[in-house]
Amino acid sequence: MVSQLYAHEQKQDGGLGMGHSNASGDLSSEMEVDAFRRLFPLRFYEHHLAESIRPDGRALGKARDTTIELGAVASADGSALAKIGLTTMLAAIKMEVMTPSKESPDEGCIAIDFHMPPICSPLVRPGRPAEAEPVVSKQLADTILSSGMIDLKDLSLVSGKAAWMVYLDIYCLDADGSLFDAALLSAIAAFSHLQIPVVSMNDDGKLIVVSEENGEKDIVNKEKRKLSLNRIPFSLTCVLHKNYILADPTAEEETIFETLVTVVLDTFDQLVYLYKPGGLVLAFTSSVQDCIALTRQRLKELQKILDESVSGMEVD
């Protein structure tokens, strides 16, 4: 009965079944379409895919609206709020002086943690870590540290004696799909906003971060500086279903289609990372190439959004 009513609604809406009430305000038909979507989600989506459109009105290869807000956390050395659709990530960076390892006396370190508090999704229960937390944390660490975006030598202060320890924490505030993409974007934005603090040497010969309380005795680095970013990586996650490829899936789409492919390209158009955690659909060469082509387009969009955010911050 529900499917019959949904078919009727499709005719009323020109075959798209978007769930809008018709001219007479037929709310009951809208409710039946919503019921059909809940009971038969795959069939609901396949009706749309046949028309090369998604329930939210996007074309199959189009990502959701994306925004970046720099300086979202006043107490952090660098921070950013990134949104892709409803998916929202807050990234914050804190810098501490450390003693470098003997193996890498001229390099600093970066520690990356991804957090999913219960507020981000009803699927995350209090007291239990979300399954995606360690997965996304590892993806972020692998991507950021292997991409060459940051030269760890730029984090050195005094060879063999002092270097920067960078703590990057990313908090998911709303989990509506493409978590890694939004988390990586927030991390890149936070690093773009980062200003390396001024440090000085105290009476014990230790380096400390200069503040209003401890003064500016024996300054080591004369002024705050930006961190040079090279070969910045941007990512795009796609879901595969039959011969369809959907870019930037929502949480609902990820649940329905299951087969995910995440591609990371850097600003030199080099492949940094390709991640496919299983799924029912095989990632044939042609499908992977199509995902890479979509990522290449997305990279240009994200680079423009980041550049505009950085330019706006400099003007302010």
Side-chain angles (χ1 to χ4, degrees):
M1 180 65 180
V2 172
S3 60
Q4 292 175 346
L5 287 169
Y6 174 66
H8 172 72
E9 179 72 12
Q10 276 193 303
K11 293 179 181 179
Q12 294 293 330
D13 278 342
L16 295 181
M18 296 296 290
H20 298 155
S21 57
N22 57 24
S24 62
D26 191 355
L27 182 59
S28 62
S29 294
E30 182 178 345
M31 293 174 65
E32 292 293 346
V33 173
D34 184 63
F36 183 89
R37 180 174 187 164
R38 292 173 181 273
L39 293 172
F40 309 102
L42 182 57
R43 288 171 59 188
F44 175 82
Y45 266 87
E46 286 182 337
H47 278 299
H48 290 76
L49 297 182
E51 301 291 338
S52 297
I53 198 168
R54 292 146 85 166
D56 60 9
R58 281 187 292 157
L60 304 190
K62 184 174 176 57
R64 293 168 290 176
D65 291 342
T66 303
T67 60
I68 296 173
E69 179 186 342
L70 300 181
V73 181
S75 60
D77 295 308
S79 63
L81 183 74
K83 296 188 67 174
I84 299 178
L86 294 178
T87 300
T88 307
M89 298 288 173
L90 178 66
I93 298 173
K94 291 297 290 184
M95 310 277 285
E96 290 185 4
V97 178
M98 68 164 194
T99 301
S101 65
K102 294 181 179 179
E103 294 78 15
S104 304
D106 298 314
E107 294 183 356
C109 288
I110 301 175
I112 301 170
D113 282 310
F114 177 70
H115 311 272
M116 292 186 69
I119 191 177
C120 76
S121 169
L123 300 179
V124 180
R125 298 180 180 180
R128 284 186 174 184
E131 292 182 5
E133 278 188 349
V135 176
V136 176
S137 288
K138 187 177 187 306
Q139 284 181 284
L140 289 167
D142 289 346
T143 299
I144 292 173
L145 298 177
S146 67
S147 65
M149 179 177 75
I150 298 171
D151 186 350
L152 296 181
K153 287 184 171 56
D154 286 347
L155 300 175
S156 178
L157 287 165
V158 179
S159 179
K161 294 184 178 181
W164 286 112
M165 180 72 211
V166 181
Y167 293 98
L168 169 62
D169 286 284
I170 301 172
Y171 297 88
C172 179
L173 304 183
D174 195 336
D176 188 31
S178 299
L179 300 185
F180 172 75
D181 299 344
L184 179 60
L185 182 61
S186 71
I188 293 167
F191 277 118
S192 298
H193 175 255
L194 173 66
Q195 285 194 316
I196 298 178
V198 177
V199 294
S200 66
M201 188 173 294
N202 65 13
D203 296 333
D204 297 327
K206 294 182 179 180
L207 294 180
I208 58 174
V209 177
V210 172
S211 65
E212 293 181 0
E213 291 78 17
N214 58 36
E216 300 185 0
K217 181 180 179 180
D218 296 328
I219 300 296
V220 174
N221 53 342
K222 299 299 182 183
E223 59 184 14
K224 289 186 176 182
R225 64 181 178 88
K226 304 286 284 184
L227 189 64
S228 297
L229 302 183
N230 306 296
R231 309 185 75 91
I232 299 175
F234 293 101
S235 67
L236 177 67
T237 296
C238 300
V239 293
L240 308 181
H241 178 66
K242 296 180 179 179
N243 60 330
Y244 300 109
I245 298 177
L246 285 70
D248 178 29
T250 62
E252 180 184 39
E253 290 170 340
E254 289 181 350
T255 301
I256 293 171
F257 298 119
E258 297 182 354
T259 303
L260 298 174
V261 175
T262 298
V263 178
V264 183
L265 298 176
D266 65 23
T267 44
F268 286 79
D269 202 29
Q270 296 297 307
L271 180 64
V272 176
Y273 194 81
L274 179 63
Y275 182 72
K276 181 181 180 294
L280 300 176
V281 179
L282 294 175
F284 294 106
T285 302
S286 59
S287 298
V288 172
Q289 290 175 338
D290 290 340
C291 291
I292 292 174
L294 288 171
T295 305
R296 192 171 287 118
Q297 297 174 10
R298 180 63 169 159
L299 185 152
K300 296 177 182 177
E301 296 174 3
L302 295 176
Q303 181 69 72
K304 181 180 179 182
I305 293 170
L306 179 62
D307 290 345
E308 289 176 349
S309 298
V310 173
S311 298
M313 194 74 180
E314 290 174 350
V315 169
D316 293 341

